[in-house]
């Protein structure tokens, strides 16, 4: 059995990183797997250099349909344009085509239809709700406009009488997807992303009351920096009241703001292991790689009770789940992890949760079972 993984990105973004990790996990478990990603252009305006020509064509079409407005330009995907990967050797030899996040001009709905017509088994891992909606990725973005309706209808025609095995990375996303009419007759299962726990592992360090926040784009409002800053102010006010500010100070570090973005996996793992807590105040998340990585390093996590985060953080057992958009409770959670709880117990529980639920062997075996199932 040969598997071909398709992902717009390979080493950036949560979906791209997750698909690459799955490829490695499958190979370790005896599966012959290859991967194709979107080709980038190497010249032109800086803002377009990471895009393919098909992505540029699609953005131009969306821009025109939106009345030449750039609003939601990058939050909209219509899968109308795509690259022809069906002529590649990898595609022709593959028994299973495993789609991940394939938007921004990589794979069109028409190409997916051809895959099915060619008799390929198609597995499609959802990293957000786009598959179950029209043109938008989040329910809060959904609008009743031409692009939303037309994309929804094209998906409806594609899915009708077609056998696609959908996979969500979290139980939460599966429940969200199944509320859509598009998914009423579809096969959907929840399988988490895998993680190599031999890379992401604890290392001894001194307790410095350091808290880490990581996001690809820290200024994206959906990542919740506003609430982290408010929580930081609350924490600093409290520690000043109860002792000398310098000795009780909580240092909150934001990757991409306070320190440069890190691309090396091993260096990133060392950073997770060197802090005492990881906080992710995101307002919408599926199954964030960052929480998984931090917990594997024995670093307790704090996040809002939203999306798939409650599936990862067990409240007061390996971290803290704060009330949604509640900066005071977020601050309380950070202080709980640092001061009130048995930190060693939280750290041990956090790593064990990742080994049990998101280890490479456990995740790979579930996908192998799906690949082998009859259509």
């Amino acid at each position: 059995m040969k598997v071909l993984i398709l992902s717009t990105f390979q080493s950036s973004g949560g979906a791209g990183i997750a698909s690459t990790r799955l490829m490695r996990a499958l190979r370790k478990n005896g599966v012959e797997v290859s991967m194709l990603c979107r080709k980038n252009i190497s010249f032109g305006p800086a803002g377009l250099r990471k895009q393919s020509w098909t992505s540029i064509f699609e953005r131009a079409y969306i821009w025109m349909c939106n009345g030449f407005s750039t609003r939601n330009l990058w939050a909209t995907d219509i899968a109308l344009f795509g690259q022809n990967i069906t002529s590649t050797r990898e595609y022709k030899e593959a028994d299973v085509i495993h789609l991940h996040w394939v938007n921004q001009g990589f794979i069109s709905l028409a190409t997916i239809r051809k895959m099915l017509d060619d008799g390929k088994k198609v597995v499609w891992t959802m990293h957000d709700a786009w598959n179950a909606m029209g043109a938008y990725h989040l329910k809060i973005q959904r609008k009743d406009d031409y692009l939303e309706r037309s994309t929804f209808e094209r998906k409806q025609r594609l899915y009708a009488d077609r056998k696609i095995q959908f996979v969500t990375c979290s139980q939460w996303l599966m429940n969200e997807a199944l509320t859509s009419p598009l998914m009423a007759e579809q096969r959907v299962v929840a399988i988490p992303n895998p993680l190599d726990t031999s890379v992401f592992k604890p290392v001894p360090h001194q307790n410095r009351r350091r808290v880490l926040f990581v996001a690809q784009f820290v200024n994206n409002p959906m990542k919740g920096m506003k609430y982290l800053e408010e929580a930081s102010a609350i924490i600093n006010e409290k520690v000043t009241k109860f002792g000398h500010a310098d000795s009780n100070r909580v240092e909150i570090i934001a990757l991409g703001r306070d320190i440069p973005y890190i691309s090396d996996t091993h260096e990133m793992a060392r950073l997770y292991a060197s802090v005492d807590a990881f906080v992710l105040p995101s307002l919408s998340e599926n199954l964030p790689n960052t929480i998984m990585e931090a917990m594997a390093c024995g670093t307790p996590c704090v996040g809002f009770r939203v999306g798939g985060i409650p599936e990862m953080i067990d409240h007061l057992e390996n971290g803290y789940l704060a009330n949604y958009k509640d900066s005071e409770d977020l601050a309380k959670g950070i202080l709980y992890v640092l001061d009130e709880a048995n930190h060693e117990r939280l750290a041990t529980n956090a790593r064990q949760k990742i080994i049990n639920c998101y280890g490479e062997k456990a995740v790979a075996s579930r996908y192998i079972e799906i690949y082998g199932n009859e259509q």
Side-chain angles (χ1 to χ4, degrees):
M1 176 177 60
K2 292 185 178 181
V3 177
L4 173 61
I5 290 177
L6 299 176
S7 172
T8 300
F9 305 109
Q10 181 175 13
S11 57
S12 63
I17 292 170
S19 58
T20 301
R21 287 176 178 172
L22 177 62
M23 176 182 67
R24 292 170 181 162
L26 290 168
R27 285 176 175 171
K28 289 180 182 179
N29 285 272
V31 178
E32 190 174 349
V33 55
S34 56
M35 184 175 182
L36 292 178
C37 298
R38 191 187 66 186
K39 297 176 181 178
N40 297 340
I41 63 173
S42 58
F43 58 91
L48 297 179
R49 286 179 194 158
K50 293 184 179 180
Q51 309 303 319
S52 64
W53 287 115
T54 48
S55 176
I56 294 171
F57 295 153
E58 184 161 292
R59 291 313 110 187
Y61 184 83
I62 294 169
W63 176 63
M64 289 187 291
C65 290
N66 281 338
F68 304 101
S69 169
T70 58
R71 186 178 182 185
N72 287 325
L73 181 62
W74 295 101
T76 309
D77 278 296
I78 56 177
L80 191 60
F81 301 91
Q83 296 177 353
N84 180 21
I85 59 94
T86 61
S87 62
T88 64
R89 174 184 55 81
E90 291 87 351
Y91 173 81
K92 292 175 181 178
E93 294 180 352
D95 304 298
V96 178
I97 307 298
H98 190 159
L99 304 165
H100 283 261
W101 199 92
V102 292
N103 298 115
Q104 292 189 11
F106 182 36
I107 303 295
S108 67
L109 294 181
T111 299
I112 297 172
R113 179 180 294 276
K114 184 179 187 316
M115 295 173 184
L116 295 164
D117 290 341
D118 287 345
K120 301 290 187 180
K121 177 160 189 176
V122 176
V123 177
W124 200 344
T125 294
M126 299 171 55
H127 294 273
D128 55 38
W130 182 83
N131 304 69
M133 297 168 54
Y136 298 97
H137 291 264
L138 301 174
K139 282 189 173 181
I140 59 173
Q141 295 170 327
R142 186 169 183 173
K143 305 180 188 316
D144 185 20
D145 58 22
Y146 167 73
L147 290 177
E148 172 68 18
R149 291 193 304 273
S150 63
T151 307
F152 186 94
E153 289 168 0
R154 287 190 298 116
K155 288 179 183 177
Q156 202 167 38
R157 290 193 295 270
L158 173 64
Y159 295 172
D161 300 322
R162 301 280 171 163
K163 293 183 178 178
I164 299 175
Q165 174 65 69
F166 288 96
V167 178
T168 62
C169 300
S170 66
Q171 188 71 38
W172 165 80
L173 184 56
M174 186 178 81
N175 295 338
E176 288 286 299
L178 290 174
T179 64
S180 167
L182 282 175
M183 293 292 169
E185 303 297 325
Q186 300 303 314
R187 298 173 298 181
V188 187
V189 298
I191 302 177
N193 299 323
L195 187 71
D196 186 346
T197 54
S198 68
V199 174
F200 291 91
K201 58 186 178 182
V203 295
H205 74 282
Q206 292 181 340
N207 189 324
R208 302 180 189 172
R209 296 169 62 78
R210 299 175 73 199
V211 178
L212 178 66
F213 165 65
V214 172
Q216 188 175 12
F217 302 105
V218 294
N219 293 324
N220 181 345
M222 296 303 295
K223 292 303 177 183
M225 176 62 82
K226 166 192 170 184
Y227 300 95
L228 181 57
E229 289 175 341
E230 291 175 356
S232 178
I234 293 169
I235 290 169
N236 287 333
E237 182 181 353
K238 285 187 176 181
V239 299
T240 302
K241 284 183 178 179
F242 292 101
H244 192 270
D246 290 338
S247 60
N248 288 277
R249 181 171 174 265
V250 174
E251 182 184 4
I252 296 180
I253 307 165
L255 184 69
R257 184 191 67 172
D258 303 316
I259 56 177
Y261 187 78
I262 297 172
S263 58
D264 182 78
T265 302
H266 291 83
E267 188 178 348
M268 193 67 225
R270 287 192 292 271
L271 177 60
Y272 282 121
S274 70
V275 298
D276 306 294
F278 177 80
V279 60
L280 187 67
S282 291
L283 306 184
S284 177
E285 284 288 351
N286 179 16
L287 196 79
N289 290 330
T290 52
I291 286 182
M292 190 184 301
E293 292 163 354
M295 290 176 66
C297 293
T299 302
C301 295
V302 181
F304 286 135
R305 198 181 296 271
V306 65
I309 292 177
E311 297 174 38
M312 308 176 81
I313 300 176
D314 301 313
H315 189 54
L316 307 184
E317 291 299 316
N318 54 36
Y320 190 98
L321 288 170
N323 296 324
Y324 188 59
K325 291 186 177 182
D326 188 335
S327 300
E328 288 193 14
D329 202 27
L330 191 68
K332 180 180 176 182
I334 293 170
L335 290 174
Y336 171 83
V337 167
L338 294 178
D339 298 331
E340 298 176 36
N342 181 325
H343 193 276
E344 185 177 348
R345 178 181 68 88
L346 292 182
T348 300
N349 290 347
R351 177 163 174 80
Q352 197 59 48
K353 173 71 176 281
I354 301 305
I355 292 173
N356 292 344
C357 300
Y358 309 111
E360 288 182 314
K361 186 174 182 179
V363 174
S365 63
R366 295 190 62 186
Y367 270 113
I368 291 169
E369 183 179 357
I370 283 180
Y371 295 156
N373 287 343
E374 293 296 325
Q375 293 197 38

